Amino acid sequence: MTMEKTYAFIFVLNCFLNIYPGARAIGVNYGLNGDDLPSPSDVISLLQSRNISKVRLFAPNTAVLTALKDSGIDVILGTENQNLRSFASDPSAATSWVNTNVVPYASSLNFEYIAVGNEVIPGDLAQYVPSAMQNIDAAILNADFAIPVSHAVSMSVMGPSFPPSNGVFSTEATPIMTEILKFLSSKNSSLLVNAYTWFPRQSDPNNVQLEYALIDDAAKPVTDNSLTYHNLFDAMVDTVYAGMEKVGVSNVDIVVAETGWPTAGTTDATIGNAQKFNTNLIKLLTSGKGTPRKPGKVVEAYIFALFNENLKPEGARAIGVNYGLNGNNLPSPSDVVSLLKSRNIQKIRLFEPNAAVLTALQGSGISVILGTENQNMQTFALDPSAAMSWVATNIVPYASSVNFVTVAVGNEVVGNEAIPGNLAQYIPSAMQNIDAAIVAAGYAVPVSTAVSMQILGPSFPPSNGFFSAEATPIMTQILTFLSLKNYPLLLNVYTWFPHLSDPNNVHLDYALLDNTATPVPDNSLIYQNLFDAMVDTVYAAMEKVGVSNVDIVVAETGWPSAGNTDASVENAQRYNNNLIKLLASGKGTPRKPGKVVEAYIFALFNENLKPEGVEQNWGLFYPNMAEVYHVDF
């Protein structure tokens, strides 16, 4: 066990020191996304030594389940989301899963719940949850065991809900949540809810006090009719209870399956705050007070997480790279993957499928945005079978061992040099058909498209952002789809181009994200750099077409190292290091404070098959894998 892992482990355990025996309202999430974790038997021994009597496992693991036998530790055992469709449509698949993962352990291990899936509502897999729960439940009963079945939801199942008494499920989530809750009510089972006070604090720090999110006694209380809320945790739980009552269910308890606070990555993510949150949480729950809406009803909660897991994206690791293949002298994919891992680069974007690259990425822990070629756009839009064939060839063989975070259906088809472009009309249907093909294959991978800033009309300052007349109809369709699916918009943002086209008004320091830049005011907001301004200009345009709940992922950004006066190694190095510092701060943008922007640097290599000049000089590395300049990932 590394010193970092040991520290993280001891930090979580130390929060449990004051739990008295029998105070069984607190558990931990035991994740396994790490290649340097201690053995399951060592983990179980330490849990027992610290009086931790509950764990949640996100998926079955034979070694862990074996170590838990006769330990006295209660277990929430999860099923993987990718199995939901088969469980729902094939009762024998549910029976096989139960016979493999429950029956061999149930006589010597207390399964408190089987969590059938995690956070798929709203989304394409949501439709399968009720039937999957019923089939898993039937399989458990047929095996002569009595283990409650549930599903873990995030707070995204809620519509706008403040104060807690106004809690209501979103329009999209209501039908599925009603079906799930009626099943839970009939079975006397609980709803599993993932409730992080961290996220409301990050998304709205001006209105969500830090102390209120940290469950601190110093927080200013919030009144809700006759009830008073002293902390955000209670408020979030009661918001869900209120939502349940509005669909006619009042006898289902809530178990908080995940909650916690990060120790690093943004301004509020500190060891001190994480320790405060977890210590205050334990004090709150072991008091037995319940919530204002449910006084005296002890809330059971599982802290996320036991370990810092090194195969998950790092806390504020919002940086990836574009891995282009326009070169005849590039290193082998396996060498590239080794390079990425050695530099702690955990996210890449591929512009199109490449079997050798995808094979090399299997089991690497590197997340992937995978693009489709623009030339296929019309075919995907007009022929759903073409979309299914593409998914069957390029997603299905790799999806079990490659983490596809998004499929980018086309690149700059809307907002290219001929706005909006001849292919733009096909994007919405192509996205829908690719999405349907992914869902039909039993996977949950968000679908989007990558657009350039040319989708905008003249837009200064950022609050005046609007889509051009030509781009507006297509962008409205795209954003409506993304909003419905809770998928992000991919945006290519280059501060280089505004500076290049208007160097007198777009100062170099402002484009390079330098602290020395003169800020630009926009009503009550202040922009310290052009990157934030460009992102917020698109957010403003989205709001003007009635969409405010789609996040932006910056799919391309960077600075060339040669080919022009301001295209220099020094400026490219300044830009990318400043970018990493900006995103890792977790500040978000002035329009979206606290919302971490994820961005992919263009590009990994200088590619010699691109046009000579600037185009060949965007890489972080030469083809021999030597650095063009150092970037501190």
Side-chain angles (χ1 to χ4, degrees):
M1 193 190 304
T2 65
M3 287 301 295
E4 181 183 2
K5 281 288 185 273
T6 302
Y7 178 80
F9 189 74
I10 290 172
F11 165 74
V12 172
L13 292 180
N14 281 345
C15 294
F16 287 81
L17 286 176
N18 294 323
I19 297 183
Y20 56 86
R24 298 175 61 85
I26 302 289
V28 293
N29 284 262
Y30 179 4
L32 295 164
N33 271 326
D35 58 12
D36 57 352
L37 302 179
S39 70
S41 59
D42 286 344
V43 173
I44 303 312
S45 295
L46 280 168
L47 293 174
Q48 291 174 317
S49 72
R50 296 303 179 104
N51 197 36
I52 298 174
S53 57
K54 295 176 180 288
V55 298
R56 178 188 178 200
L57 300 175
F58 291 89
N61 180 286
T62 302
V64 174
L65 290 171
T66 301
L68 282 164
K69 281 186 173 183
D70 299 314
S71 65
I73 295 172
D74 297 340
V75 178
I76 294 179
L77 178 62
T79 75
E80 293 178 297
N81 289 342
Q82 67 195 47
N83 294 329
L84 286 171
R85 186 168 180 260
S86 62
F87 290 163
S89 60
D90 183 5
S92 68
T95 298
S96 176
W97 188 92
V98 168
N99 287 341
T100 301
N101 301 300
V102 175
V103 172
Y105 309 99
S107 60
S108 53
L109 177 58
N110 181 34
F111 289 110
E112 191 168 13
Y113 298 97
I114 301 298
V116 183
N118 183 56
E119 293 190 352
V120 301
I121 305 169
D124 291 316
L125 292 177
Q127 61 185 309
Y128 303 114
V129 171
S131 295
M133 289 173 65
Q134 292 167 25
N135 287 340
I136 289 287
D137 181 66
I140 292 169
L141 292 175
N142 288 337
D144 290 328
F145 292 105
I147 302 168
V149 167
S150 190
H151 174 72
V153 299
S154 73
M155 294 298 292
S156 63
V157 298
M158 308 304 298
S161 301
F162 181 83
S165 61
N166 286 340
V168 61
F169 296 121
S170 69
T171 302
E172 188 180 3
T174 293
I176 296 295
M177 288 303 301
T178 302
E179 197 172 349
I180 288 171
L181 288 165
K182 287 182 177 178
F183 172 78
L184 295 176
S185 176
S186 71
K187 292 289 184 174
N188 197 31
S189 186
S190 301
L191 177 68
L192 305 180
V193 177
N194 299 340
Y196 291 92
T197 65
W198 159 260
F199 292 115
R201 163 66 186 172
Q202 288 304 291
S203 62
D204 192 6
N206 292 329
N207 292 311
V208 180
Q209 314 165 58
L210 179 61
E211 292 81 7
Y212 191 64
L214 289 174
I215 319 179
D216 203 306
D217 291 338
K220 181 181 178 182
V222 174
T223 57
D224 180 9
N225 297 323
S226 62
L227 302 178
T228 300
Y229 287 87
H230 294 276
N231 65 79
L232 183 55
F233 180 86
D234 281 348
M236 292 173 76
V237 171
D238 276 0
T239 297
V240 182
Y241 272 129
M244 290 163 59
E245 291 171 11
K246 289 183 177 67
V247 296
V249 176
S250 58
N251 65 333
V252 171
D253 290 341
I254 288 173
V255 170
V256 176
E258 292 179 31
T259 190
W261 197 279
T263 58
T266 73
T267 304
D268 290 333
T270 66
I271 289 172
N273 283 343
Q275 187 170 28
K276 269 185 179 181
F277 177 84
N278 287 321
T279 300
N280 290 340
L281 174 74
I282 291 169
K283 181 181 176 182
L284 174 69
L285 300 191
T286 54
S287 73
K289 292 179 181 177
T291 67
R293 197 175 191 90
K294 299 283 185 176
K297 183 178 287 294
V298 176
V299 179
E300 181 180 331
Y302 290 71
I303 291 174
F304 187 90
L306 190 55
F307 296 107
N308 288 338
E309 299 163 56
N310 69 346
L311 296 184
K312 297 179 83 172
E314 293 187 16
R317 179 59 64 193
I319 296 289
V321 294
N322 284 261
Y323 178 6
L325 297 166
N326 255 332
N328 58 14
N329 57 352
L330 300 178
S332 70
S334 59
D335 286 343
V336 172
V337 170
S338 296
L339 172 67
L340 294 170
K341 293 172 78 171
S342 72
R343 297 303 306 272
N344 200 30
I345 298 171
Q346 300 170 353
K347 298 172 181 282
I348 65 166
R349 178 187 177 199
L350 296 175
F351 291 90
E352 61 194 54
N354 180 289
V357 174
L358 291 171
T359 300
L361 285 165
Q362 289 183 308
S364 67
I366 295 171
S367 301
V368 180
I369 293 178
L370 180 62
T372 74
E373 293 178 295
N374 288 347
Q375 67 196 43
N376 295 329
M377 207 61 53
Q378 183 175 353
T379 306
F380 290 160
L382 302 179
D383 183 3
S385 68
M388 293 185 72
S389 176
W390 188 91
V391 168
T393 302
N394 300 300
I395 299 290
V396 173
Y398 308 101
S400 62
S401 53
V402 174
N403 180 29
F404 292 111
V405 292
T406 311
V407 171
V409 181
N411 183 55
E412 297 190 353
V413 173
V414 186
N416 62 6
E417 288 77 5
I419 299 172
N422 293 329
L423 293 175
Q425 61 184 310
Y426 301 113
I427 285 284
S429 295
M431 289 172 65
Q432 291 168 25
N433 287 341
I434 289 287
D435 183 65
I438 292 171
V439 173
Y443 296 102
V445 182
V447 169
S448 190
T449 188
V451 298
S452 78
M453 296 295 293
Q454 293 182 39
I455 55 175
L456 295 168
S459 301
F460 181 84
S463 60
N464 287 339
F466 67 97
F467 298 125
S468 70
E470 292 171 289
T472 293
I474 297 296
M475 287 305 302
T476 303
Q477 289 183 62
I478 290 169
L479 289 166
T480 300
F481 170 79
L482 296 176
S483 175
L484 177 67
K485 293 288 187 173
N486 197 29
Y487 295 163
L489 176 69
L490 303 181
L491 179 66
N492 299 342
V493 176
Y494 290 94
T495 65
W496 157 260
F497 292 115
H499 172 69
L500 184 67
S501 63
D502 191 6
N504 292 328
N505 291 312
V506 181
H507 298 157
L508 180 62
D509 287 351
Y510 191 64
L512 289 175
L513 324 185
D514 251 341
N515 291 331
T516 58
T518 301
V520 174
D522 179 9
N523 297 323
S524 62
L525 303 178
I526 303 294
Y527 286 88
Q528 306 284 347
N529 65 79
L530 183 55
F531 179 89
D532 281 349
M534 292 174 75
V535 171
D536 274 1
T537 300
V538 178
Y539 272 129
M542 289 162 60
E543 291 171 10
K544 289 183 177 69
V545 296
V547 176
S548 59
N549 65 332
V550 171
D551 291 340
I552 288 172
V553 170
V554 176
E556 294 179 31
T557 189
W559 197 279
S561 60
N564 180 280
T565 303
D566 289 329
S568 65
V569 168
E570 179 187 3
N571 285 343
Q573 185 175 34
R574 282 169 69 190
Y575 178 83
N576 285 318
N577 278 317
N578 286 341
L579 175 73
I580 291 171
K581 183 179 178 182
L582 174 68
L583 301 191
S585 73
K587 293 178 181 177
T589 65
R591 197 174 192 91
K592 299 283 186 176
K595 183 178 287 295
V596 176
V597 180
E598 181 180 335
Y600 291 72
I601 293 173
F602 186 88
L604 188 57
F605 296 108
N606 285 342
E607 300 166 55
N608 68 347
L609 296 183
K610 288 193 162 187
E612 291 186 11
V614 168
E615 285 295 309
Q616 291 187 355
N617 291 285
W618 290 84
L620 300 173
F621 298 91
Y622 295 108
N624 66 0
M625 297 196 295
E627 291 182 338
V628 177
Y629 51 86
H630 181 70
V631 174
D632 191 8
F633 282 97

